[in-house]
Amino acid sequence: MNRRMAVDPVYRCIECNEESGELYKDYKHGVLKITICKSCLKPVDKYIEYDPVIILINAMLCKAQVYRHVLFNTSINIHGKLCIFCLLCEAYTRWLQLPGSSSITDPGDIIRYAKEWDFYRLFGIALLEQSVYLSGIFTVLSLARLKTLRSRSDFALLLKALLLSSYGKLFLVPAIIWEHDYTHLCLKLITLFVLMSNTQAIRVTLNVSRKLSFLSILGGLLFENALFYIQQKFQDV
Ligand SMILES: [Zn+2]
């Protein structure tokens, strides 16, 4: 069972978001019973018994219950590493799309070319765009004056949720390596999937409406496009 060991842990019911003091009761001698939520009368977190693969498939279907399970009822702490890995995938995808890079067929060349200046420049741009995108989201949500977004830990949890829910960017690399007629469409669909996943993460973390969650993502995209426009202006000068 995937569980968080802490003093006075506060978990959340994955169905109704109600707080719960425990996920299961231990009756000793290996007898465990999943806690039932007092509010909705459903298991607080059925996913503690599920296989990680099933959880991942449910996450890919953007189910709010899985997001609550991961964010509130587990101690997964890979968002920092995942963020860097996603940025590397993004930079590598963009680098491959540069003129002259597509002719590389030898996998051994990847390491050699990764050392090129262009790759690091694109990584820097991806990092900057990601920061600006997140700033846009936080700005919109701050303007909404949410009760659930007041303390530093609320911001930290939202940041963690956004970084974790951007895992779809990992699919960018296989999509572009296995090049075919629909590669461009695949890249667009991956971007759309990441945006949907981010929207769901905001909704679940802050318990806000779909509308506000969608608006904050729109704010993030607006900030990111403004940065792109400024970049273009600088290149033209
Ligand atoms: Zn409940």
Side-chain angles (χ1 to χ4, degrees), residues 13 15 34-45 65:
C13 170
E15 303 291 344
I34 291 183
T35 307
I36 300 297
C37 174
K38 288 171 186 163
S39 176
C40 66
L41 303 179
K42 289 179 181 173
V44 170
D45 190 345
Q65 289 92 334

Side-chain angles (χ1 to χ4, degrees), residues 123-221:
F123 178 82
I125 291 173
L127 177 64
L128 184 64
E129 284 179 4
Q130 171 87 316
S131 309
V132 170
Y133 168 71
L134 293 174
S135 305
I137 292 174
F138 280 107
T139 303
V140 173
L141 291 173
S142 299
L143 289 173
R145 295 174 183 275
L146 299 169
K147 283 181 183 172
T148 46
L149 190 65
R150 288 203 171 151
S151 68
R152 191 178 280 184
S153 60
D154 294 334
F155 277 94
L157 182 66
L158 179 61
L159 182 63
K160 178 182 174 180
L162 285 167
L163 295 180
L164 280 177
S165 62
S166 299
Y167 70 96
K169 289 180 183 176
L170 298 177
F171 299 121
L172 286 171
V173 172
I176 201 152
I177 285 180
W178 295 319
E179 197 175 7
H180 48 74
D181 293 344
Y182 301 105
T183 298
H184 196 65
L185 178 67
C186 278
L187 296 179
K188 293 273 179 205
L189 287 175
I190 290 170
T191 306
L192 186 66
F193 172 72
V194 172
L195 292 176
M196 277 172 57
S197 186
N198 286 167
T199 311
Q200 189 72 305
I202 295 169
R203 198 170 77 85
V204 167
T205 310
L206 303 176
N207 203 22
V208 293
S209 64
R210 277 199 176 86
K211 192 177 164 188
L212 180 59
S213 185
F214 179 73
L215 274 176
S216 61
I217 292 291
L218 220 57
L221 289 175

